[in-house]
Amino acid sequence: MIYRMFCRLFQAVMKAVMYALPWHTPDVLEGDEALKRMVDDIENQGINKVMVVMGPSMMKRGIPQSMLDIMSRRAIQYVIFDKLTSDPTDEQVESGARRYREAGCQGMVLFGGGSPMDCGKAIAARIARPGKSVKQLQGALKVRHRKDVPLMWAVPTTAGTGSETTMAAVISDSVTHRKKSINDPSIIPHVCVLDPALTVGLSPEMTAYTGMDALCHAVEAYINKTYNTEREDKMAKDAVKLIHDNLIKVYHNDGDVDGRRKMQLAAFFAGRAFTRGCVGYVHAIGHGIGGLYGFPHGKVMAVLLPYVLEAYGSYAEERLAELADACGIMAGGRAAEAVSDREKAIAFINWIRSVDRQLTIPEKLRCIKAEDVPTIARWAAEEANPLYPVPKILVREELEKLIIQIAGSPEK
């Protein structure tokens, strides 16, 4: 009881602090000419050399070539940093920061999914704070030196992480594999380029995982509510509605450009919502599981989401009912006014489970080993408490029981 009171008191103080933080939303460039307009902006900023952070397979697939060609025609030099993994590590961040300095770069283009986005933002934090290690920068509001943070242009090629608009950069420890986040408004990118054509060609599997990641961001941000303004609430609710209407369509139809455009908007809205509203135990637990076992982040999020929402019980029912109403999800097909918040919340959670089944996402995470459960629970508690304003605060013992439930029969 005392611990929960401490968490709520901390969150009350943080709510006041939130109003003093220098929030900004990236300028958004959309449409066929978006990449060209991005290069226009780089040029207008007086920058003639950038580091492009991307995944190791991007150049082989030729996805960034049109962007690089535009830069070359404008005499904007670029160096490519693609020495990163699906879960970027502190060592990779340090390597990228060295490359940036040695090449004399003046800004960065973050091109790809969540990994290059997070890695690039962490590199920017290290450039701004050269005397601090990644570990020293992880946590809340430890970068701060916004004027020293390089300008960043974010070009997502998936529709899920929302990292193109967040203040978070999740980085794994090279030794322990533990994931922790750098959280600071100063590392929110300057410009975001939303070009749905870049997401055409994503595998159904990647479409599913990234889409469910965006859904988790939106749902967790909305039910948290404490730090939100009306803007975050609206963005989170709009994101959930867009995902409800479009995720299954684009999963089955790779060439649905309009659907992919709406999924990109959903990811952007959800990212902007949770960068202030915060995530919750879905991410706190999922970071530990993903770090230990190398499971795709979005896949872990999709499995965890309904279990965590059920664990909140009545504490989350009202907000989940509002999301059900926004999506037109009714319990038993009855009119909205005839259904209780509890029934709507259950219907919403059941809808999530039905989406998981349609996306062939497993019901359990049987990779979890019994001996790892206490560690995952401890990491989750340390990440979430007291910062995340979750509907119901769970202590370590409750988190262990929840993780065992998610694992089914943990491996020995």
Side-chain angles (χ1 to χ4, degrees):
M1 177 64 73
I2 294 175
Y3 178 68
R4 289 185 169 93
M5 289 175 61
F6 162 72
C7 290
R8 293 310 189 199
L9 178 61
F10 179 94
Q11 290 158 18
V13 173
M14 280 301 298
K15 181 178 181 178
V17 170
M18 290 287 180
Y19 286 99
L21 294 179
W23 297 105
H24 72 280
T25 300
D27 294 333
V28 178
L29 304 177
E30 297 183 81
D32 296 339
E33 298 289 308
L35 287 173
K36 177 182 175 297
R37 288 156 58 206
M38 180 194 76
V39 178
D40 289 342
D41 188 53
I42 293 173
E43 197 171 45
N44 291 339
Q45 296 289 341
I47 289 174
N48 54 39
K49 191 169 190 179
V50 296
M51 184 166 81
V52 182
V53 182
M54 66 175 73
S57 66
M58 283 291 179
M59 288 302 293
K60 294 177 184 176
R61 294 159 59 196
I63 298 174
Q65 196 57 56
S66 61
M67 176 187 73
L68 299 178
D69 288 345
I70 297 170
M71 289 184 186
S72 295
R73 289 196 295 270
R74 299 289 190 83
I76 293 175
Q77 301 177 62
Y78 59 85
V79 296
I80 292 172
F81 179 75
D82 60 359
K83 308 300 182 187
L84 63 150
T85 51
S86 58
D87 290 315
T89 68
D90 50 355
E91 289 182 352
Q92 292 163 4
V93 172
E94 297 297 347
S95 176
R98 284 194 301 272
R99 181 74 185 277
Y100 183 95
R101 294 190 192 99
E102 290 167 358
C105 296
Q106 302 159 300
M108 282 192 287
V109 174
L110 318 180
F111 190 95
S115 298
M117 299 282 174
D118 282 4
C119 189
K121 290 191 291 185
I123 291 169
R126 284 288 289 113
I127 297 301
R129 300 298 300 273
K132 299 285 186 180
S133 67
V134 170
K135 187 173 291 188
Q136 290 171 320
L137 292 171
Q138 286 173 321
L141 309 178
K142 295 183 179 179
V143 183
R144 297 191 302 277
H145 294 198
R146 179 164 176 73
K147 64 181 178 58
D148 298 320
V149 174
L151 289 178
M152 289 175 281
W153 290 263
V155 188
T157 60
T158 65
T161 70
S163 191
E164 64 273 10
T165 185
T166 74
M167 67 172 185
V170 180
I171 304 298
S172 296
D173 186 290
S174 300
V175 177
T176 66
H177 306 294
R178 182 179 184 179
K179 291 184 177 183
K180 291 185 73 176
S181 184
I182 299 172
N183 296 289
D184 198 295
S186 66
I187 62 171
I188 296 174
H190 164 63
V191 169
C192 171
V193 177
L194 298 181
D195 182 351
L198 294 173
T199 71
V200 172
L202 277 180
S203 68
E205 183 179 67
M206 186 60 69
T207 297
Y209 296 165
T210 54
M212 289 305 291
D213 190 20
L215 180 65
C216 287
H217 293 155
V219 172
E220 290 202 291
Y222 190 75
I223 64 175
N224 283 354
K225 80 180 181 180
T226 300
Y227 303 151
N228 292 351
T229 66
E230 290 183 4
R231 183 180 194 185
E232 284 79 33
D233 278 348
K234 184 179 187 309
M235 283 185 159
K237 188 183 286 188
D238 287 350
V240 172
K241 171 64 172 169
L242 285 167
I243 295 165
H244 174 274
D245 293 349
N246 293 281
L247 177 55
I248 297 300
K249 290 198 302 183
V250 298
Y251 175 74
H252 289 298
N253 181 4
D254 170 60
D256 184 350
V257 177
D258 183 62
R260 291 194 173 274
R261 179 184 67 80
K262 291 174 179 173
M263 285 300 297
Q264 276 197 322
L265 281 175
F268 182 86
F269 290 158
R272 176 58 182 82
F274 92 78
T275 204
R276 177 165 182 155
C278 291
V279 286
Y281 292 119
V282 178
H283 277 75
I285 296 169
H287 286 154
I289 295 170
L292 284 173
Y293 307 116
F295 254 49
H297 175 75
K299 183 177 183 178
V300 176
M301 297 296 99
V303 175
L304 294 181
L305 182 58
Y307 290 101
V308 173
L309 295 181
E310 286 174 340
Y312 290 142
S314 61
Y315 294 84
E317 284 176 1
E318 181 181 354
R319 299 287 273 190
L320 290 177
E322 290 169 2
L323 292 178
D325 285 342
C327 296
I329 299 170
M330 303 305 168
R334 287 173 288 163
E337 59 272 13
V339 182
S340 69
D341 283 352
R342 177 173 175 75
E343 290 174 303
K344 290 178 185 177
I346 292 171
F348 186 77
I349 295 169
N350 287 340
W351 166 71
I352 294 171
R353 284 207 162 97
S354 75
V355 172
D356 280 349
R357 287 193 296 271
Q358 292 176 74
L359 301 178
T360 66
I361 288 169
E363 185 180 349
K364 302 281 188 179
L365 289 173
R366 301 192 186 278
C367 63
I368 299 173
K369 297 178 180 179
E371 64 266 26
D372 291 334
V373 170
T375 299
I376 297 168
R378 175 170 58 85
W379 287 356
E382 289 174 355
E383 175 181 334
N385 305 333
L387 177 62
Y388 295 167
V390 290
K392 178 184 179 182
I393 293 167
L394 303 179
V395 296
R396 194 178 303 178
E397 293 78 12
E398 293 170 309
L399 289 167
E400 287 188 16
K401 291 178 182 178
L402 180 57
I403 294 163
I404 290 169
Q405 181 188 3
I406 292 160
S409 299
E411 295 181 3
K412 303 294 184 182

